[in-house]
Amino acid sequence: MASTATSTYEGFTAEERAAMKEHAQDQKKAARRGSRADKAAEAERDLLAKIAEMGDSDRIMAERVHAVITANAPILAPKLWYGMPAYALDGKVVCFFQSAAKFKARYATLGFNDPAKLDNGAMWATAFALTDVTAEVETQIAALVKQAVS
């Protein structure tokens, strides 16, 4: 593999380091929780609190995404994952919402991890840019999360 003299690895960005710290805090907090029901209720409260902290545009989209996912894939458990709202099945994150502000991006992201059953041939999308969550987008998200847990 060739490398150029001008390329250098600069390490993780400040946003990436902050996300990793949030993930470690989330893991510690989850380990201290009581019963399974207590864990689930507290995890959802944490997720909703994280959404409430977001700026207007991201918050509105995250609230709609949360509503669509919980209505269409109630088997998924809300949780925080690297400081982002996420939804897990058997402890494995299936999908997540990443606000635009989190990594100073121009759009929010709805992403899917390996457990999501979105396979479609030899190549398929695992992340979707969101600039608005309209009724049409809600329908698309509902279809994706239903397929992801099928």
Side-chain angles (χ1 to χ4, degrees):
M1 183 162 99
S3 69
T4 63
T6 59
S7 67
T8 59
Y9 176 71
E10 304 219 6
F12 296 107
T13 66
E15 293 81 12
E16 290 167 331
R17 284 191 301 278
M20 288 185 283
K21 285 180 184 177
E22 280 186 277
H23 181 63
Q25 291 170 348
D26 296 343
Q27 295 294 92
K28 288 177 188 174
K29 190 173 187 179
R32 290 190 299 264
R33 293 186 177 137
S35 72
R36 180 175 281 174
D38 290 344
K39 288 179 182 184
E42 193 169 338
E44 184 161 20
R45 281 193 301 272
D46 291 346
L47 179 141
L48 293 172
K50 185 58 73 175
I51 289 173
E53 293 173 3
M54 294 178 185
D56 289 344
S57 176
D58 284 334
R59 187 188 73 256
I60 291 166
M61 286 190 289
E63 289 170 347
R64 294 305 316 140
V65 167
H66 176 72
V68 170
I69 291 172
T70 56
N72 290 280
I75 192 170
L76 294 177
K79 66 182 283 176
L80 288 179
W81 184 63
Y82 293 96
M84 296 177 285
Y87 304 85
L89 181 61
D90 298 327
K92 295 180 180 178
V93 172
V94 173
C95 59
F96 60 91
F97 176 85
Q98 179 180 300
S99 70
K102 182 137 186 100
F103 294 104
K104 299 177 183 167
R106 66 182 180 94
Y107 50 81
T109 304
L110 175 64
F112 292 86
N113 286 339
D114 287 357
K117 298 173 183 166
L118 298 179
D119 304 40
N120 183 14
M123 184 175 142
W124 59 89
T126 60
F128 299 85
L130 296 172
T131 57
D132 192 13
V133 178
T134 63
E136 180 183 344
V137 170
E138 287 181 6
T139 300
Q140 291 172 319
I141 293 170
L144 284 167
V145 296
K146 286 177 185 176
Q147 180 181 349
V149 299
S150 64

